[in-house]
Amino acid sequence: MADHLKIHPVVDIEAPPTAPLVANSSSKASERGGSLLHVKDMNPAPPRAQPPPGPPPPQFRQTTPLIPSPPPRRKSRSFCCKCICWTISLLILILIILGAIVGILYLVFQPKIPKYSVDRLQISDLRLNTDGSLYAKFDVQITAKNPNKKIGIYYQQGSHLSVWYAKTKLCQGKFPKFYQGHMNKTRLDVSLTGQAQYGNTLLGALQEQQQTGRIPLDLKVDVPVSVKLGKLKLRKVRILGKCLLIVDTLSSNSVITIKASSCKFKLKL
């Protein structure tokens, strides 16, 4: 019975392993005829997960550097703009200077348009020609007054003075050439002659109008003059005017009464 009883050693589970245990395990492994290296080869560890491959590194190539093209030249354009600006500025400056000069002259001389009036009208001849035209000869006395204290007026050649009835020119003449001084009043005797077509019809209309005692006539004036400011003589201008006359008769060699007179004049540069 003593042979059948076996005493088994109690192993302390909480006790740390000792060195002989490790030696025994290694001896057992050697007894199996393999080494630890062989065990590892027979049971290899699972492969470690590799990170996904990233993008390939950039490949650098040696290229010729791009040279930026120079901006287009704007010298010609800027020069043209400067020329235009200078020209406009110069014109504005000239206009300002001229305006200042005109304003100064106006304040110094205070120019006024000459005044004209018809003092007397006489018909020397009014008859029918053999060709059916109407011949007329008028003698007109006109008073020209220069109201300016510092301005003289030169009456030049090329003036026109005419008498009209119902848009038909009866006769015409011209002003004499003369100089009119400051604050001067001059009486001018002007002879007007002319021929009008359709004499029979025109004479009949004048005679019919004469029965009313009021015959309308238009006296038109176009006179070129030069103005003298002190000792300075300016360029030629024109005096344009129109007088509406109402007379009582057109009988030849008779005294004609001017019942009404209305005149308007303007200066044309």
Side-chain angles (χ1 to χ4, degrees):
M1 292 179 63
D3 296 335
H4 293 285
L5 292 177
K6 294 183 179 180
I7 299 173
H8 298 279
V10 180
V11 179
D12 190 0
I13 300 173
E14 295 180 359
T18 58
L21 292 177
V22 176
N24 293 333
S25 62
S26 60
S27 61
K28 290 181 179 179
S30 59
E31 292 178 356
R32 293 177 185 177
S35 63
L36 292 176
L37 180 61
H38 294 156
V39 173
K40 290 183 180 179
D41 291 341
M42 293 177 63
N43 297 315
R48 297 179 59 184
Q50 298 292 331
Q59 297 180 359
F60 296 95
R61 294 184 304 173
Q62 185 176 1
T63 57
T64 305
L66 297 177
I67 301 175
S69 58
R73 296 184 179 180
R74 297 184 179 180
K75 292 184 178 179
S76 58
R77 184 177 179 180
S78 60
F79 180 75
C80 294
C81 293
K82 289 181 180 179
C83 289
I84 294 173
C85 293
W86 277 105
T87 303
I88 295 174
S89 302
L90 183 60
L91 291 177
I92 294 174
L93 180 61
I94 292 174
L95 291 176
I96 293 174
I97 293 174
L98 290 178
I101 292 174
V102 172
I104 293 172
L105 292 177
Y106 182 83
L107 293 176
V108 172
F109 294 97
Q110 298 180 356
K112 299 178 182 179
I113 299 177
K115 298 180 180 180
Y116 304 91
S117 61
V118 180
D119 300 332
R120 181 172 59 86
L121 177 63
Q122 183 178 0
I123 298 178
S124 302
D125 196 357
L126 185 64
R127 68 176 189 273
L128 288 173
N129 293 328
T130 56
D131 58 356
S133 62
L134 180 65
Y135 177 80
K137 182 179 179 181
F138 289 13
D139 293 325
V140 184
Q141 186 180 78
I142 297 175
T143 298
K145 181 180 178 181
N146 180 13
N148 297 283
K149 296 180 180 180
K150 300 179 180 180
I151 298 177
I153 301 174
Y154 289 94
Y155 287 83
Q156 306 288 349
Q157 294 180 352
S159 61
H160 297 281
L161 182 66
S162 57
V163 176
W164 296 67
Y165 171 75
K167 297 182 180 181
T168 301
K169 185 166 62 175
L170 300 177
C171 53
Q172 66 179 4
K174 59 183 180 179
F175 266 44
K177 182 180 178 181
F178 70 101
Y179 171 74
Q180 188 175 26
H182 310 155
M183 302 293 295
N184 180 264
K185 182 187 293 185
T186 304
R187 287 186 174 88
L188 304 171
D189 292 324
V190 183
S191 180
L192 312 176
T193 59
Q195 294 182 359
Q197 299 296 325
Y198 309 104
N200 290 321
T201 303
L202 185 58
L203 185 59
L206 288 172
Q207 291 174 353
E208 184 179 355
Q209 191 75 42
Q210 185 174 347
Q211 294 177 3
T212 64
R214 296 180 65 86
I215 304 173
L217 298 175
D218 290 330
L219 181 65
K220 296 182 180 182
V221 179
D222 183 0
V223 183
V225 297
S226 295
V227 179
K228 184 179 180 182
L229 303 177
K231 296 182 179 181
L232 179 63
K233 186 176 180 181
L234 303 181
R235 60 184 296 271
K236 185 186 296 184
V237 296
R238 305 187 77 86
I239 296 176
L240 304 178
K242 183 178 181 180
C243 294
L244 176 61
L245 307 176
I246 304 296
V247 299
D248 59 347
T249 182
L250 290 180
S251 300
S252 300
N253 298 321
S254 62
V255 178
I256 297 176
T257 302
I258 300 175
K259 292 186 175 182
S261 175
S262 176
C263 298
K264 294 181 179 180
F265 295 90
K266 63 181 181 179
L267 194 66
K268 182 179 180 182
L269 300 178

